[in-house]
Amino acid sequence: MSSADTIIYSTKIYPGFGDALISGGIVIKGDYILAVGSREEIDCYSRDAEIIDYGNLPVVPGFIDSHQHYPMNILMETTGFELYDAPSPEFCAEAARKALAAHPDAPVIYAMGWQLNNWEACDIKPNRHMLDEVTSEKPICLGSDDGWTFWVNSKALEFMDFRKGNIPDDLKGLIQVDKDGEPTGILNGNAASKAFYIINYLPQKDSEKIAKAAFSKYIEYGVTSFGEVSNEFNKCDREIGTFDLMERLYSGKDGGKIPRMFYYPCIGRDGDFTTVDKLRNRYLPDVIDPALKDKIELRGLKGYIDGVMSLNTSVMLCDYLTEPKNGIPIYTQEALNTLVAKANAEGYAVRIHATGDGGVRMCLDAYEYSIQQNGRHGLRNCIEHIESCSEEDRKRFKELDVIAAINPGHAILEENLENIISEKTFYNLHPFRGLLDQGAVVSLSTDAPIVTCNPMFTIYAAVTRCDENGKLMLPKPNETMTIWEALEGYMARSAYTMGVEDRIGILEAGKLADIAVLDTDITSVKNPEEILHTKVIATYLSGKNIFNVKKNNPSPPDQITV
């Protein structure tokens, strides 16, 4: 019998799937789980092993946030701030001033959350000059609530090389300019992606410091793996810097404390995958740097078909009640079909952003076309967000082996949509239950920084569809998920979404020992709001205890014994 390095005991182990907890232990040897079973089955491994008994505290697989945008989120998790209730541009500028005073050494001032439609009655419109008055020495980047618009200062425009006479043709109309042709500081759509990737324009020492601090938060949340999905529309060139940053972190002395990253760069428009082929080849088993093994990997490609409902850019089956009457698809159906089929033929899974029911149908049609061209290829094609989906299309997810990758946190951020979409569409928003009942594989993620990457917020949203005060934010409360479905969606099904279920997502022999320990059994709470207050007290990555509340808390829970 193999010897063990560590044995973790608990009366409440959730294996990552199903609807029951088990009592017993987890045996860890090196990076991997050696065995999971009852205490009687596990005791025989205890000789010379470190024994950690968590008593009645729940032990679960490390959370897998399979859809987020880390270049922006690491800024929000460190010195970033929220502007969701900002009543005016002046309020935002003053908030930026306060952030600068609180973090004078921060290389960039960053925020998310403002909503332009809340400022229609304001006399002053957002512009770079307002933010230049806060500081002209470092970039300020203030993102809208959906991340599709950024308001920046002159220093940020300088970093991005956006200036009069130097606006790329494909970004004209997206970079707002004044009557003299000077950028105003408002960046829309693909132009906003440079603000999104501002971390890549900072000095290496600054970007690495920010990333390390942010990823320590991920570990405190119990997030041991994440899917980094592209925010680009046309090509992946700007994303290469995000690979480089992660490689430096993994290769550094604290590399064992950085969550695993599974990357989905931009699918592009022309079907030329030369750049992504080179990126994929960097991480093949026979060439990868040992420090990067099981840490960073390219798992597929990411695309967009539409925008967001709040800006009338989601592609809908029924027109909006307000102008513009519908979103314009980023691809024609023929172009999308061809691109998806080509990507699948070359071994790339495809994940497509589609919020509107019309966009969802276009994606399903493209995936069906790919099957017709390539056969049942087994790649994990996904549709991301799915904020609206017709009843007849829900069954197609199972039929076409398409994964429904949802973000329940979006559901409780939606406001005033009943004023811009049809009553029927509004009534059927965020069909969690409808997709599950039709047999779809449903995975959960945050889309951070649109919402926090703390899993408890997303799990709470999935099981309640309520805001943090308990207010139901959408109709049809029967569209909620059970707590077991939410947990499985965050663990086994998120691993399945990224095609890495052979390594993570389930507590069983042979899997990497990525584990989180909670201070509350969220499967049995009487009040769902207790989920929001649940904390992770220990996190293990590859079998190493890299976060433990006892190191920072003088009064750790009594159940822990070593």
Side-chain angles (χ1 to χ4, degrees), residues 32 41 43 87 138 156 177 210 214 260 420 443 479 483 512 516 520 550-551:
Y32 294 90
E41 294 170 318
D43 280 348
K138 61 180 67 179
V177 297
I210 291 168
R260 310 181 196 284
I420 64 172
S443 64
E479 281 285 352
I483 187 63
L512 287 160
T520 302
K550 291 194 298 182
K551 297 175 183 177

Side-chain angles (χ1 to χ4, degrees), residues 235-253:
K235 52 188 178 181
C236 67
D237 297 35
R238 276 198 288 266
E239 300 175 83
I240 294 174
T242 61
F243 280 91
D244 295 339
L245 172 57
M246 294 303 292
E247 286 189 14
R248 294 196 303 272
L249 294 175
Y250 289 133
S251 300
K253 64 181 180 67

Side-chain angles (χ1 to χ4, degrees), residues 126-322:
N127 60 78
R128 61 185 168 88
H129 303 295
M130 293 180 67
L131 299 182
D132 289 346
E133 291 178 5
V134 176
T135 180
S136 59
E137 296 179 358
K138 61 180 67 179
I140 300 178
C141 301
L142 309 182
S144 61
D145 62 333
D146 53 37
W148 283 60
T149 302
F150 267 82
W151 171 20
V152 303
N153 67 347
S154 295
K155 192 65 175 179
L157 290 171
E158 179 185 324
F159 268 55
M160 302 171 200
D161 201 23
F162 289 159
R163 62 184 187 280
K164 181 179 179 179
N166 192 46
I167 295 177
D169 289 342
D170 63 330
L171 298 183
K172 287 179 179 176
L174 298 176
I175 299 174
Q176 190 182 97
V177 297
D178 61 22
K179 59 183 178 57
D180 297 320
E182 293 284 356
T184 65
I186 297 297
L187 310 176
N188 295 299
N190 201 32
S193 70
K194 275 204 173 183
F196 185 99
Y197 290 106
I198 194 73
I199 192 77
N200 292 341
Y201 300 93
L202 301 178
Q204 282 190 12
K205 64 180 180 61
D206 290 332
S207 61
E208 290 174 14
K209 181 179 179 180
I210 291 168
K212 286 179 183 179
F215 287 133
S216 70
K217 292 280 191 71
Y218 283 45
I219 296 302
E220 287 184 34
Y221 296 146
V223 176
T224 53
S225 299
F226 66 95
E228 171 55 31
V229 295
S230 173
N231 200 49
E232 290 280 359
F233 288 82
N234 296 322
K235 52 188 178 181
C236 67
D237 297 35
R238 276 198 288 266
E239 300 175 83
I240 294 174
T242 61
F243 280 91
D244 295 339
L245 172 57
M246 294 303 292
E247 286 189 14
R248 294 196 303 272
L249 294 175
Y250 289 133
S251 300
K253 64 181 180 67
D254 294 320
K257 299 178 181 179
I258 307 297
R260 310 181 196 284
M261 182 181 78
F262 301 100
Y263 208 106
Y264 293 79
C266 173
I267 193 172
R269 291 176 178 269
D270 58 8
D272 181 359
F273 302 140
T274 303
T275 301
V276 293
D277 286 344
K278 291 178 181 177
L279 288 171
R280 179 169 63 176
N281 292 342
R282 266 162 80 165
Y283 306 112
L284 293 177
D286 56 339
V287 299
I288 192 170
D289 182 328
L292 305 180
K293 183 179 182 294
D294 288 324
K295 287 289 192 177
I296 182 171
E297 193 172 325
L298 193 150
R299 295 300 306 169
L301 301 173
K302 163 75 184 312
Y304 285 83
I305 192 60
D306 65 3
V308 292
M309 289 185 200
S310 59
L311 296 178
N312 294 37
T313 53
S314 296
V315 175
M316 309 298 291
L317 296 176
C318 296
D319 282 348
Y320 291 97
L321 304 177
T322 56

Side-chain angles (χ1 to χ4, degrees), residues 420-468:
I420 64 172
I421 59 177
S422 71
E423 182 178 359
K424 180 181 178 181
T425 303
F426 180 70
Y427 188 71
N428 287 290
L429 288 177
H430 295 278
F432 307 159
R433 174 58 44 201
L435 289 163
L436 284 164
D437 287 349
Q438 290 294 330
V441 173
V442 177
S443 64
L444 271 62
S445 56
T446 64
D447 197 22
I450 304 305
V451 302
T452 173
C453 68
N454 183 344
M456 297 306 152
F457 179 84
T458 290
I459 292 171
Y460 169 80
V463 302
T464 67
R465 293 167 73 90
C466 292
D467 70 9
E468 293 164 286

Side-chain angles (χ1 to χ4, degrees), residues 71 82 101 105 111 333 512:
E82 295 182 348
D105 297 326
Q333 186 68 64
L512 287 160

